[in-house]
Amino acid sequence: MKLTILASKKNLLVTIVISCWIFALQAVNIQHLEPAFWWTGMHNPELQIMVHGQNISASQVSIDYPGVTLKEVVRVENPNYLFLYVSLSEQTQPGQMQIRFREGKKTTTQDYTLLPRNKKVGAQGFDSHDVMYLITPDRFSDGDTSNNLPEAKIDRSDQWARHGGDIRGVINHLDYLKDLGITSVWLNPVVKNKPTIYHGYAINDFYSIDPCYGSMDEYVEFVDKTHERGMKVVMDMIFNHCGDDHWWMKDLPTGDWLTNNNQFVGCNHNKWTVVDPYASPSEKKGFHEGWFSEYMPDLNGANRHLGTYLIQNSIWWIEHTRIDGIRQDTHP
Protein backbone atom coordinates (compact mmCIF):
# COMPACT_ATOMS: atom_id res chain seq x y z
CA MET A 1 0.00 0.00 0.00
CA LYS A 2 2.85 2.36 0.88
CA LEU A 3 4.56 1.57 -2.40
CA THR A 4 1.37 2.46 -4.30
CA ILE A 5 1.07 5.80 -2.50
CA LEU A 6 4.71 6.62 -3.11
CA ALA A 7 4.35 5.74 -6.76
CA SER A 8 1.28 7.97 -7.04
CA LYS A 9 3.13 10.83 -5.40
CA LYS A 10 6.03 10.31 -7.76
CA ASN A 11 3.70 10.34 -10.77
CA LEU A 12 2.05 13.49 -9.44
CA LEU A 13 5.44 15.14 -9.05
CA VAL A 14 6.40 14.16 -12.60
CA THR A 15 3.08 15.54 -13.86
CA ILE A 16 3.62 18.86 -12.07
CA VAL A 17 7.18 19.17 -13.38
CA ILE A 18 6.10 18.39 -16.95
CA SER A 19 3.17 20.84 -16.70
CA CYS A 20 5.46 23.62 -15.49
CA TRP A 21 7.94 22.85 -18.26
CA ILE A 22 5.21 22.97 -20.91
CA PHE A 23 3.86 26.22 -19.46
CA ALA A 24 7.33 27.76 -19.62
CA LEU A 25 7.59 26.86 -23.30
CA GLN A 26 4.15 28.10 -24.33
CA ALA A 27 4.13 30.97 -26.80
CA VAL A 28 2.70 34.30 -25.75
CA ASN A 29 -0.84 34.59 -27.05
CA ILE A 30 -1.37 38.09 -28.48
CA GLN A 31 -5.06 38.72 -29.16
CA HIS A 32 -4.91 42.40 -30.10
CA LEU A 33 -2.05 44.69 -31.10
CA GLU A 34 -2.98 48.27 -32.01
CA PRO A 35 -2.13 50.04 -34.18
CA ALA A 36 -1.15 47.10 -36.39
CA PHE A 37 1.42 49.20 -38.29
CA TRP A 38 2.92 52.69 -38.30
CA TRP A 39 5.13 54.97 -40.40
CA THR A 40 8.68 56.28 -40.31
CA GLY A 41 9.39 59.98 -40.80
CA MET A 42 6.42 61.20 -38.77
CA HIS A 43 6.70 64.66 -37.21
CA ASN A 44 6.06 63.18 -33.76
CA PRO A 45 8.56 60.35 -33.18
CA GLU A 46 6.52 58.77 -30.37
CA LEU A 47 4.45 55.63 -30.89
CA GLN A 48 2.21 53.80 -28.43
CA ILE A 49 1.54 50.11 -29.10
CA MET A 50 -1.25 48.55 -27.07
CA VAL A 51 -0.85 44.79 -26.63
CA HIS A 52 -3.65 42.58 -25.33
CA GLY A 53 -3.24 38.89 -24.52
CA GLN A 54 -3.66 36.42 -21.69
CA ASN A 55 -1.26 37.40 -18.88
CA ILE A 56 0.85 39.38 -21.37
CA SER A 57 2.20 41.62 -18.60
CA ALA A 58 4.34 38.71 -17.36
CA SER A 59 6.46 39.05 -20.50
CA GLN A 60 9.76 40.87 -20.75
CA VAL A 61 9.68 43.00 -23.90
CA SER A 62 12.55 44.03 -26.15
CA ILE A 63 12.94 45.65 -29.58
CA ASP A 64 16.13 45.56 -31.62
CA TYR A 65 15.69 47.70 -34.75
CA PRO A 66 17.95 50.49 -36.03
CA GLY A 67 16.70 53.91 -34.90
CA VAL A 68 13.98 52.51 -32.62
CA THR A 69 14.06 52.90 -28.85
CA LEU A 70 11.69 51.14 -26.48
CA LYS A 71 11.32 53.97 -23.97
CA GLU A 72 8.71 52.57 -21.62
CA VAL A 73 6.85 49.32 -20.95
CA VAL A 74 3.75 50.05 -18.87
CA ARG A 75 1.94 47.37 -16.92
CA VAL A 76 -1.54 48.27 -15.66
CA GLU A 77 -3.79 46.55 -13.13
CA ASN A 78 -5.17 44.18 -15.77
CA PRO A 79 -2.34 41.66 -16.46
CA ASN A 80 -3.72 41.07 -19.95
CA TYR A 81 -2.38 44.42 -21.21
CA LEU A 82 0.92 46.06 -22.00
CA PHE A 83 1.41 49.60 -23.28
CA LEU A 84 4.67 49.99 -25.17
CA TYR A 85 6.00 53.49 -25.74
CA VAL A 86 8.45 53.58 -28.64
CA SER A 87 10.51 56.39 -30.17
CA LEU A 88 11.47 56.38 -33.87
CA SER A 89 14.46 58.52 -34.83
CA GLU A 90 14.72 60.49 -38.07
CA GLN A 91 17.10 57.79 -39.35
CA THR A 92 14.61 54.92 -38.83
CA GLN A 93 13.94 53.15 -42.13
CA PRO A 94 10.78 51.32 -43.24
CA GLY A 95 10.84 47.58 -42.67
CA GLN A 96 9.78 44.74 -40.40
CA MET A 97 10.51 45.58 -36.80
CA GLN A 98 10.44 42.64 -34.39
CA ILE A 99 8.94 42.92 -30.92
CA ARG A 100 10.13 40.12 -28.64
CA PHE A 101 8.08 38.86 -25.71
CA ARG A 102 10.03 36.63 -23.36
CA GLU A 103 8.24 34.59 -20.73
CA GLY A 104 10.24 31.94 -18.93
CA LYS A 105 12.39 30.12 -21.47
CA LYS A 106 10.13 30.93 -24.40
CA THR A 107 10.47 34.00 -26.61
CA THR A 108 7.68 34.96 -29.01
CA THR A 109 8.52 37.32 -31.85
CA GLN A 110 5.84 39.64 -33.22
CA ASP A 111 6.55 41.32 -36.57
CA TYR A 112 5.59 44.99 -36.70
CA THR A 113 5.54 46.83 -40.03
CA LEU A 114 7.01 50.32 -40.36
CA LEU A 115 5.94 51.92 -43.62
CA PRO A 116 7.22 54.90 -45.61
CA ARG A 117 5.03 58.00 -45.43
CA ASN A 118 1.92 58.02 -47.62
CA LYS A 119 2.49 60.48 -50.49
CA LYS A 120 -1.06 60.54 -51.82
CA VAL A 121 -3.09 63.76 -51.86
CA GLY A 122 -4.89 64.32 -48.57
CA ALA A 123 -5.01 66.15 -45.24
CA GLN A 124 -6.08 69.30 -47.09
CA GLY A 125 -8.38 70.57 -44.37
CA PHE A 126 -11.69 72.30 -45.00
CA ASP A 127 -13.16 75.73 -44.23
CA SER A 128 -16.12 78.02 -44.92
CA HIS A 129 -15.36 78.00 -48.64
CA ASP A 130 -16.34 74.33 -48.84
CA VAL A 131 -19.78 73.04 -49.72
CA MET A 132 -20.12 69.98 -47.51
CA TYR A 133 -22.53 67.12 -48.16
CA LEU A 134 -23.44 64.81 -45.26
CA ILE A 135 -24.23 61.19 -46.06
CA THR A 136 -25.53 58.46 -43.77
CA PRO A 137 -24.06 55.57 -45.81
CA ASP A 138 -26.66 53.02 -44.73
CA ARG A 139 -29.42 55.28 -46.09
CA PHE A 140 -27.72 56.44 -49.31
CA SER A 141 -27.22 53.64 -51.84
CA ASP A 142 -26.74 49.87 -51.71
CA GLY A 143 -23.92 49.42 -54.22
CA ASP A 144 -22.95 45.90 -53.12
CA THR A 145 -25.65 43.54 -51.86
CA SER A 146 -23.05 40.91 -50.91
CA ASN A 147 -22.26 42.83 -47.72
CA ASN A 148 -25.87 42.80 -46.51
CA LEU A 149 -24.91 40.42 -43.71
CA PRO A 150 -27.60 38.33 -41.95
CA GLU A 151 -26.61 39.66 -38.51
CA ALA A 152 -27.32 43.21 -39.72
CA LYS A 153 -31.01 42.32 -40.16
CA ILE A 154 -31.59 44.55 -43.19
CA ASP A 155 -35.19 45.81 -43.16
CA ARG A 156 -36.14 48.92 -45.12
CA SER A 157 -39.62 48.93 -43.63
CA ASP A 158 -38.13 49.61 -40.18
CA GLN A 159 -36.81 53.16 -39.64
CA TRP A 160 -34.41 51.95 -36.92
CA ALA A 161 -33.00 48.96 -38.81
CA ARG A 162 -30.15 48.87 -41.30
CA HIS A 163 -31.22 49.52 -44.88
CA GLY A 164 -28.15 48.21 -46.72
CA GLY A 165 -26.34 51.29 -48.03
CA ASP A 166 -22.56 51.01 -48.27
CA ILE A 167 -19.28 52.58 -49.41
CA ARG A 168 -19.65 51.16 -52.93
CA GLY A 169 -22.97 52.98 -53.20
CA VAL A 170 -21.26 56.28 -52.38
CA ILE A 171 -18.43 55.61 -54.87
CA ASN A 172 -21.02 54.94 -57.57
CA HIS A 173 -22.53 58.40 -57.04
CA LEU A 174 -19.42 60.58 -56.76
CA ASP A 175 -20.04 62.14 -60.19
CA TYR A 176 -23.57 63.04 -59.05
CA LEU A 177 -22.12 64.79 -55.99
CA LYS A 178 -19.54 66.57 -58.16
CA ASP A 179 -22.29 67.81 -60.48
CA LEU A 180 -24.14 69.24 -57.48
CA GLY A 181 -21.16 71.47 -56.76
CA ILE A 182 -20.11 69.60 -53.61
CA THR A 183 -16.50 70.16 -52.51
CA SER A 184 -16.38 68.01 -49.34
CA VAL A 185 -18.10 64.70 -48.57
CA TRP A 186 -18.76 63.90 -44.91
CA LEU A 187 -19.81 60.33 -44.14
CA ASN A 188 -21.41 59.32 -40.88
CA PRO A 189 -19.13 56.72 -39.23
CA VAL A 190 -18.13 53.73 -41.36
CA VAL A 191 -15.86 52.21 -38.69
CA LYS A 192 -16.90 48.79 -37.37
CA ASN A 193 -20.12 48.98 -35.33
CA LYS A 194 -22.77 46.92 -33.66
CA PRO A 195 -24.29 44.89 -36.53
CA THR A 196 -27.81 46.28 -36.06
CA ILE A 197 -26.86 49.96 -35.56
CA TYR A 198 -27.36 51.92 -38.78
CA HIS A 199 -26.02 55.31 -37.64
CA GLY A 200 -22.47 54.13 -36.89
CA TYR A 201 -21.90 55.75 -33.50
CA ALA A 202 -21.41 52.57 -31.44
CA ILE A 203 -17.89 51.56 -32.48
CA ASN A 204 -16.55 48.14 -31.56
CA ASP A 205 -13.17 48.40 -33.32
CA PHE A 206 -11.48 51.76 -33.91
CA TYR A 207 -9.16 50.34 -36.58
CA SER A 208 -11.59 48.50 -38.89
CA ILE A 209 -14.19 49.35 -41.49
CA ASP A 210 -17.65 47.97 -40.78
CA PRO A 211 -18.08 44.84 -42.96
CA CYS A 212 -21.67 45.91 -43.71
CA TYR A 213 -20.21 48.95 -45.49
CA GLY A 214 -17.36 47.17 -47.24
CA SER A 215 -13.62 46.84 -46.69
CA MET A 216 -10.66 49.05 -45.83
CA ASP A 217 -9.57 48.83 -49.47
CA GLU A 218 -12.97 50.15 -50.56
CA TYR A 219 -12.76 53.05 -48.11
CA VAL A 220 -9.31 53.98 -49.42
CA GLU A 221 -10.71 53.71 -52.96
CA PHE A 222 -13.56 56.04 -51.97
CA VAL A 223 -11.07 58.62 -50.66
CA ASP A 224 -8.86 58.30 -53.76
CA LYS A 225 -11.75 58.65 -56.21
CA THR A 226 -13.19 61.59 -54.31
CA HIS A 227 -9.80 63.30 -54.57
CA GLU A 228 -9.61 62.49 -58.27
CA ARG A 229 -12.74 64.58 -58.73
CA GLY A 230 -11.29 67.53 -56.84
CA MET A 231 -13.40 66.92 -53.74
CA LYS A 232 -12.40 66.26 -50.14
CA VAL A 233 -13.34 63.68 -47.51
CA VAL A 234 -14.31 64.48 -43.92
CA MET A 235 -14.26 61.52 -41.53
CA ASP A 236 -16.67 61.26 -38.62
CA MET A 237 -14.69 60.23 -35.51
CA ILE A 238 -16.12 59.30 -32.12
CA PHE A 239 -13.74 59.53 -29.19
CA ASN A 240 -16.33 60.35 -26.54
CA HIS A 241 -17.62 56.80 -26.38
CA CYS A 242 -17.48 53.32 -27.90
CA GLY A 243 -20.05 50.56 -28.38
CA ASP A 244 -20.87 48.20 -25.53
CA ASP A 245 -19.62 45.26 -27.62
CA HIS A 246 -16.19 46.72 -28.34
CA TRP A 247 -13.66 43.93 -27.76
CA TRP A 248 -12.11 45.65 -24.72
CA MET A 249 -15.47 45.86 -22.91
CA LYS A 250 -15.07 42.20 -21.93
CA ASP A 251 -11.65 42.87 -20.44
CA LEU A 252 -11.11 46.56 -19.63
CA PRO A 253 -7.46 47.61 -19.18
CA THR A 254 -7.95 49.80 -16.11
CA GLY A 255 -10.54 50.74 -13.52
CA ASP A 256 -10.87 54.19 -15.08
CA TRP A 257 -10.90 53.30 -18.79
CA LEU A 258 -14.51 54.51 -18.79
CA THR A 259 -15.87 57.46 -16.86
CA ASN A 260 -17.49 56.95 -13.44
CA ASN A 261 -15.14 54.06 -12.64
CA ASN A 262 -16.41 51.99 -15.57
CA GLN A 263 -20.00 52.19 -14.30
CA PHE A 264 -23.02 53.46 -16.24
CA VAL A 265 -24.19 56.92 -15.26
CA GLY A 266 -26.44 58.60 -17.81
CA CYS A 267 -25.44 61.95 -19.32
CA ASN A 268 -27.63 64.89 -18.25
CA HIS A 269 -27.22 66.35 -21.78
CA ASN A 270 -26.95 69.88 -20.36
CA LYS A 271 -24.79 71.26 -23.17
CA TRP A 272 -25.12 74.80 -21.82
CA THR A 273 -22.71 73.88 -19.01
CA VAL A 274 -19.86 74.10 -21.56
CA VAL A 275 -20.35 77.86 -22.04
CA ASP A 276 -21.95 78.94 -18.76
CA PRO A 277 -19.29 80.19 -16.31
CA TYR A 278 -21.81 79.82 -13.47
CA ALA A 279 -22.72 76.20 -14.15
CA SER A 280 -22.32 74.06 -11.06
CA PRO A 281 -19.46 71.51 -10.97
CA SER A 282 -21.97 68.69 -10.51
CA GLU A 283 -23.87 69.67 -13.65
CA LYS A 284 -20.64 69.99 -15.63
CA LYS A 285 -19.55 66.58 -14.41
CA GLY A 286 -22.95 65.10 -15.26
CA PHE A 287 -22.58 66.34 -18.82
CA HIS A 288 -18.90 65.58 -19.45
CA GLU A 289 -18.71 62.23 -17.68
CA GLY A 290 -22.20 60.86 -18.19
CA TRP A 291 -22.64 58.06 -20.70
CA PHE A 292 -24.38 58.99 -23.94
CA SER A 293 -26.46 55.85 -23.52
CA GLU A 294 -26.08 52.49 -21.80
CA TYR A 295 -24.98 50.84 -25.04
CA MET A 296 -22.43 53.59 -25.75
CA PRO A 297 -20.02 53.62 -22.76
CA ASP A 298 -18.27 56.92 -22.09
CA LEU A 299 -14.50 56.83 -22.66
CA ASN A 300 -12.25 58.51 -20.10
CA GLY A 301 -9.85 60.52 -22.25
CA ALA A 302 -8.12 61.72 -19.05
CA ASN A 303 -6.61 58.25 -18.75
CA ARG A 304 -3.08 58.73 -20.12
CA HIS A 305 -3.00 55.52 -22.16
CA LEU A 306 -6.51 55.87 -23.59
CA GLY A 307 -5.97 59.54 -24.41
CA THR A 308 -2.82 58.67 -26.35
CA TYR A 309 -4.59 55.75 -28.03
CA LEU A 310 -7.40 57.99 -29.33
CA ILE A 311 -5.14 60.81 -30.55
CA GLN A 312 -2.94 58.27 -32.30
CA ASN A 313 -5.98 56.62 -33.88
CA SER A 314 -6.96 59.89 -35.56
CA ILE A 315 -3.42 60.28 -36.93
CA TRP A 316 -3.50 56.68 -38.20
CA TRP A 317 -6.66 57.30 -40.27
CA ILE A 318 -5.23 60.50 -41.75
CA GLU A 319 -1.95 58.87 -42.76
CA HIS A 320 -3.37 55.54 -43.96
CA THR A 321 -6.42 56.75 -45.89
CA ARG A 322 -5.49 60.41 -46.58
CA ILE A 323 -8.76 61.89 -45.37
CA ASP A 324 -8.83 65.69 -45.42
CA GLY A 325 -10.65 66.59 -42.24
CA ILE A 326 -12.29 65.31 -39.08
CA ARG A 327 -15.75 65.88 -37.70
CA GLN A 328 -15.45 65.07 -33.99
CA ASP A 329 -18.69 63.66 -32.61
CA THR A 330 -20.13 65.05 -29.35
CA HIS A 331 -17.26 67.55 -29.25
CA PRO A 332 -18.44 69.38 -26.09
Side-chain angles (χ1 to χ4, degrees):
M1 183 67 177
K2 288 182 179 179
L3 288 175
T4 303
I5 293 173
L6 287 172
S8 298
K9 286 183 177 179
K10 183 177 179 181
N11 289 338
L12 178 61
L13 179 61
V14 170
T15 302
I16 293 173
V17 170
I18 290 174
S19 298
C20 292
W21 179 74
I22 292 173
F23 178 77
L25 293 180
Q26 283 180 337
V28 172
N29 179 21
I30 298 174
Q31 297 172 24
H32 300 95
L33 188 145
E34 295 181 343
F37 54 86
W38 199 247
W39 298 268
T40 59
M42 299 290 276
H43 178 70
N44 185 346
E46 304 299 321
L47 168 63
Q48 178 208 77
I49 303 174
M50 182 173 73
V51 188
H52 176 235
Q54 187 66 35
N55 204 35
I56 191 72
S57 68
S59 301
Q60 299 301 312
V61 185
S62 62
I63 296 175
D64 183 13
Y65 190 85
V68 175
T69 302
L70 178 58
K71 296 181 65 176
E72 189 179 7
V73 177
V74 179
R75 294 169 174 82
V76 293
E77 60 244 51
N78 186 337
N80 298 333
Y81 285 87
L82 281 175
F83 291 89
L84 311 181
Y85 287 88
V86 176
S87 179
L88 283 66
S89 75
E90 293 181 0
Q91 288 72 42
T92 305
Q93 296 298 310
Q96 287 294 109
M97 177 176 78
Q98 292 186 331
I99 307 174
R100 294 184 176 87
F101 299 85
R102 183 171 60 83
E103 189 172 344
K105 295 182 179 180
K106 179 66 177 179
T107 297
T108 299
T109 300
Q110 175 70 45
D111 286 338
Y112 193 89
T113 302
L114 295 175
L115 299 169
R117 293 293 302 276
N118 194 335
K119 295 183 179 180
K120 289 181 182 178
V121 172
Q124 302 172 88
F126 61 91
D127 57 29
S128 58
H129 294 90
D130 284 291
V131 180
M132 192 176 298
Y133 193 94
L134 170 62
I135 294 175
T136 302
D138 179 76
R139 297 295 198 260
F140 189 67
S141 173
D142 189 354
D144 181 4
T145 57
S146 69
N147 57 37
N148 292 344
L149 307 178
E151 57 268 29
K153 301 178 181 179
I154 305 296
D155 183 0
R156 293 189 177 184
S157 66
D158 182 352
Q159 64 175 330
W160 299 109
R162 290 224 190 194
H163 288 189
D166 49 33
I167 295 170
R168 182 58 56 190
V170 179
I171 292 174
N172 292 344
H173 291 84
L174 286 176
D175 288 334
Y176 160 74
L177 297 176
K178 177 69 175 178
D179 289 344
L180 286 179
I182 302 304
T183 66
S184 295
V185 182
W186 160 21
L187 301 185
N188 283 147
V190 292
V191 180
K192 192 174 181 182
N193 253 250
K194 290 173 72 76
T196 55
I197 299 297
Y198 78 88
H199 51 65
Y201 289 97
I203 290 176
N204 60 27
D205 186 336
F206 282 93
Y207 282 97
S208 297
I209 293 295
D210 192 306
C212 292
Y213 292 144
S215 65
M216 183 67 73
D217 286 344
E218 280 182 300
Y219 185 73
V220 172
E221 179 188 350
F222 154 67
V223 177
D224 289 346
K225 289 188 174 179
T226 302
H227 286 159
E228 287 172 8
R229 289 162 174 78
M231 298 186 290
K232 304 172 185 176
V233 173
V234 175
M235 187 173 189
D236 209 329
M237 294 187 179
I238 309 92
F239 293 158
N240 174 71
H241 54 265
C242 63
D244 61 356
D245 60 351
H246 188 289
W247 63 262
W248 62 37
M249 289 301 298
K250 296 178 181 178
D251 193 27
L252 289 169
T254 66
D256 65 345
W257 198 251
L258 309 175
T259 56
N260 297 297
N261 299 315
N262 296 345
Q263 299 298 315
F264 169 70
V265 175
C267 179
N268 61 23
H269 295 287
N270 290 340
K271 299 179 179 66
W272 56 267
T273 59
V274 177
V275 294
D276 185 357
Y278 302 106
S280 68
S282 62
E283 286 188 287
K284 287 183 178 180
K285 180 180 174 66
F287 176 66
H288 284 290
E289 299 184 15
W291 293 25
F292 199 80
S293 76
E294 198 159 3
Y295 75 89
M296 288 189 277
D298 200 74
L299 298 173
N300 179 21
N303 178 294
R304 170 199 170 192
H305 308 301
L306 177 57
T308 301
Y309 175 97
L310 296 173
I311 292 170
Q312 197 167 263
N313 179 256
S314 66
I315 296 169
W316 187 91
W317 283 102
I318 296 167
E319 186 69 14
H320 182 51
T321 68
R322 303 305 288 153
I323 58 171
D324 299 288
I326 296 168
R327 182 266 175 176
Q328 190 60 245
D329 183 57
T330 57
H331 178 261

